[in-house]
Amino acid sequence: MRLVADPVFGEVDLTASVEEMVCLVSAVAKGEGFIGSMSPLDGDTLAGVEVKKSSGRGVRIELDASRQVLVISGHPGARAILAANLRSMATAEDGGHLHIDYFPGHPYLVAGSLSIVVNSPQGGMPTR
């Protein structure tokens, strides 16, 4: 997995193998886990993704800058929606990417969540 924080756009770019994406989907669905990055830490590269349960509504995505870790926490129902979205990116056979950005009325993200771009393990833009 490779996680790169982009300070200019205020988002994190996530690229992972199918196996790593499956681990991330599982951790988000369960509400616990850590998926480490295989990339060396340099500048804006992050160490991994930590998933935690929380009792609040929605999902919060934030950066723990002191540990260089992307943290995903949230309510089980909201995490289930995020897990389903991540699963579709993991299983997309024709590539592409998914933007996960908060907007007022978002179905599962809470205000203040960091934006992430999840790249398909198949890479590139879809051929459809």
Side-chain angles (χ1 to χ4, degrees):
M1 178 177 291
R2 180 168 168 75
L3 297 155
V4 179
D6 185 336
V8 174
F9 292 104
E11 64 187 15
V12 171
D13 189 76
L14 185 154
T15 303
S17 68
V18 171
E19 295 79 15
E20 291 165 328
M21 287 288 286
V22 168
C23 288
L24 180 58
V25 167
S26 177
V28 169
K30 287 192 286 190
E32 60 186 28
F34 182 84
I35 299 89
S37 173
M38 301 305 285
S39 300
L41 294 179
D42 60 357
D44 297 320
T45 303
L46 304 179
V49 178
E50 178 181 31
V51 181
K52 304 187 296 187
K53 296 176 184 173
S54 82
S55 57
R57 293 180 176 226
V59 167
R60 175 173 301 283
I61 301 173
E62 57 193 342
L63 181 61
D64 181 337
S66 66
R67 297 186 302 144
Q68 290 184 278
V69 171
L70 185 69
V71 179
I72 299 172
S73 60
H75 182 272
R79 285 193 334 269
I81 298 169
L82 174 57
N85 287 342
L86 293 170
R87 186 176 298 109
S88 23
M89 195 56 8
T91 58
E93 294 180 6
D94 59 353
H97 61 274
L98 171 67
H99 288 264
I100 302 174
D101 303 300
Y102 172 78
F103 56 83
H106 195 282
Y108 62 87
L109 287 180
V110 299
S113 287
L114 187 66
S115 296
I116 61 174
V117 176
V118 180
N119 298 292
S120 167
Q122 306 306 320
M125 289 302 292
T127 56
R128 38 189 145 106

